[in-house]
Amino acid sequence: MAFQRTTLGAALALTLMAAAPAHAQTEIQWWHSMGGALGEWVNDLAKDFNASQKDYRIVPTFKGSYDESMTAAIAAFRAGNAPHILQVFEVGTATMMASKGAIVPVGEVMKKAGVSFDPNAYVPAVSGYYTAPNGQMLSFPFNSSTPVFHYNKDAFKAAGLDPEKPPTTWPEVALAAGKLKASGHKCPFTTSWISWTQLESFSAWHNVLFATKNNGFGGLDTRLAMNTPLHVRHIENLANMARSGLFVYKGRGNAADATFVSGECAMITGSSALYGNVTRNGKFGYGIGTLPYYPDVPGAPQNTVIGGASLWVMSGKKAEEYKGVAQFFAHLSKPEVAAASHQRTGYLPVTKASFELSDKSGFYKKNPGTDVSVTQMIRKTTDKSRGVRLGNFVQIRTIIDEELEGVWAGKKAPKDALDNIVKRGNEQLERFEKANKS
């Protein structure tokens, strides 16, 4: 009887314990646009943070391309069910800044949560882009990239080119492309993100304006300025290369990336973050060089501009949920976490400490070229090279794609295309200015 009572008592206690609610985790929804290998990286970041503590659970959700995720988030915000964290590409920065009431500045989130946050810990070229005129950091630097020159060392060897010496100027790119074509390569050179690599970063790299008002940083009344003789000269050179089969256009966005990874194209200007994909899936000797420039332009090369995306915190959430967001951002900022992300993906190290840690570990010596993106970005910027921050930038990039596709197809003169871009793009800027004058 005593044994039975003891057993029943123990069973009852266990039943009550099981029925008692466990400490509920606060869920944090994170919408992102990272697919493939980068999607695995994002999922791993969430898993690592979730395993490091018990109070919060980050739930990453892939929402399609950058354009698609931004559109989905705006619709979700209007419906009252936006995510806590939204990954937005740099092109959407001005739009997010103008979305008053929809976002909470990251500096404010960290401060209210009582989490240590020093904007000076981040790489200036990265943090500066996401900082308001009053000095407040608006979004959290996450996957920041910059354009670099990727090349196939095996293809270089086969063409009689030095695989350890990538071309550094545009005339050298044309000469290398000629040799690659002569050796049988049907796609000597291509590029992804045409506007970003061939106009935006091209302008900063040569220390000339892409748009007035210091590329949009100086006010909403900015207007496009990338139809100068230098810009026309560059697009004409690319058009000549396209006619000769030295430059092959492979589509909008990052569509060209796959053609480099597969070995179809031998050289590409694209995101530094292509590194992770090439090292994982490329079957050839791989090299990275700096973005090409014209050596007769005074002051070139200057610095390249930021790409990639940052994390924005959406408004209308509970205080406890914002604490979880702050803890997650603090986790991503840890030197060892940020350094591992940089080394795995090719994105820039977002903090100075993560760069120093990568350097001390010998990562750059073991992987030549991986420091190119960093050295291109950490040079002192000028008012012409800080970056490009425009309203309706997504629409402007679409206009650029449309007009330049006419050039690559041989249907439009480079100067006419650039003039049309300025005219059509300025209409978008005027529209944005009127809508956000207050």
Side-chain angles (χ1 to χ4, degrees), residues 1 47 55 112 114 136 141 248 306 312 314 377 418:
M1 289 285 289
K47 282 178 192 172
D55 296 324
K112 286 187 176 178
Q136 185 180 45
V248 182
I306 198 172
W312 292 78
M314 305 301 284
M377 286 287 291
L418 291 176

Side-chain angles (χ1 to χ4, degrees), residues 408-426:
W408 314 140
K411 297 177 180 177
K412 192 167 287 190
K415 188 176 188 312
D416 291 344
L418 291 176
D419 287 344
N420 284 345
I421 289 168
V422 169
K423 181 177 179 294
R424 294 175 62 194
N426 283 346

Side-chain angles (χ1 to χ4, degrees), residues 57-85:
R57 181 168 171 265
I58 298 290
V59 182
T61 304
F62 176 72
K63 298 297 284 188
S65 69
Y66 283 132
D67 288 0
E68 291 166 343
S69 63
M70 197 168 166
T71 302
I74 291 169
F77 174 74
R78 288 172 180 160
N81 57 0
H84 300 83
I85 304 170

Side-chain angles (χ1 to χ4, degrees), residues 115-418:
V115 175
S116 177
F117 180 67
D118 178 13
N120 293 322
Y122 299 85
V123 175
V126 175
S127 61
Y129 189 85
Y130 299 113
T131 299
N134 65 3
Q136 185 180 45
M137 197 185 288
L138 298 171
S139 61
F140 180 81
F142 177 57
N143 59 308
S144 296
S145 59
T146 202
V148 295
F149 185 86
H150 306 269
Y151 68 104
N152 184 323
K153 288 186 175 183
D154 292 351
F156 267 47
K157 285 179 188 173
L161 293 162
D162 187 339
E164 302 308 321
K165 286 188 178 178
T168 58
T169 67
W170 281 109
E172 288 174 358
V173 171
L175 287 171
K179 290 188 176 181
L180 285 160
K181 184 186 177 185
S183 71
H185 239 285
K186 292 183 179 178
C187 178
F189 169 71
T190 190
T191 185
S192 61
W193 300 110
I194 285 277
S195 176
W196 184 46
T197 61
Q198 305 309 319
L199 289 175
E200 297 161 39
S201 266
F202 174 85
S203 299
W205 201 222
H206 291 83
N207 201 30
V208 297
L209 287 174
F210 176 85
T212 63
K213 291 281 180 175
N214 296 336
N215 293 322
F217 279 79
L220 290 178
D221 53 340
T222 179
R223 297 294 181 263
L224 297 180
M226 26 58 67
N227 57 345
T228 69
L230 176 63
H231 292 97
V232 172
R233 168 190 174 189
H234 181 53
I235 299 304
E236 281 178 346
N237 286 340
L238 288 177
N240 289 334
M241 288 178 67
R243 276 195 295 272
S244 304
L246 305 182
F247 162 53
V248 182
Y249 176 66
K250 290 293 185 177
R252 301 183 184 185
N254 67 344
D257 288 354
T259 66
F260 177 74
V261 177
S262 70
E264 178 188 347
C265 295
M267 304 183 291
I268 183 173
T269 45
S271 171
S272 56
L274 182 56
Y275 168 82
N277 191 352
V278 179
T279 53
R280 178 173 174 170
N281 300 309
K283 308 296 182 188
F284 51 82
Y286 168 48
I288 303 173
T290 57
L291 202 64
Y293 67 100
Y294 288 102
D296 60 327
V297 176
Q302 174 59 40
N303 64 276
T304 50
V305 299
I306 198 172
S310 63
L311 303 181
W312 292 78
V313 183
M314 305 301 284
S315 63
K317 306 301 180 183
K318 297 175 182 175
E320 185 59 26
E321 293 168 343
Y322 285 131
K323 283 183 182 177
V325 171
Q327 291 291 346
F328 181 51
F329 287 172
H331 175 78
L332 295 178
S333 299
K334 290 178 180 176
E336 63 276 16
V337 175
S341 289
H342 160 57
Q343 294 171 27
R344 175 173 175 174
T345 64
Y347 282 118
L348 293 163
V350 292
T351 64
K352 297 170 189 172
S354 60
F355 169 65
E356 290 164 4
L357 189 60
S358 296
D359 192 20
K360 286 178 185 174
S361 72
F363 175 73
Y364 301 123
K365 287 182 180 177
K366 292 175 196 168
N367 302 277
T370 50
D371 61 338
V372 167
S373 59
V374 183
T375 55
Q376 281 188 174
M377 286 287 291
I378 62 175
R379 300 166 188 240
K380 187 178 180 182
T381 59
T382 71
D383 286 338
K384 296 176 182 176
S385 70
R386 184 180 171 193
V388 181
R389 198 159 71 188
L390 306 176
N392 288 345
F393 207 171
V394 175
Q395 294 91 325
I396 290 170
R397 276 196 175 174
T398 299
I399 290 168
I400 289 170
D401 284 334
E402 290 171 357
E403 293 291 339
L404 291 184
E405 281 169 354
V407 174
W408 314 140
K411 297 177 180 177
K412 192 167 287 190
K415 188 176 188 312
D416 291 344
L418 291 176

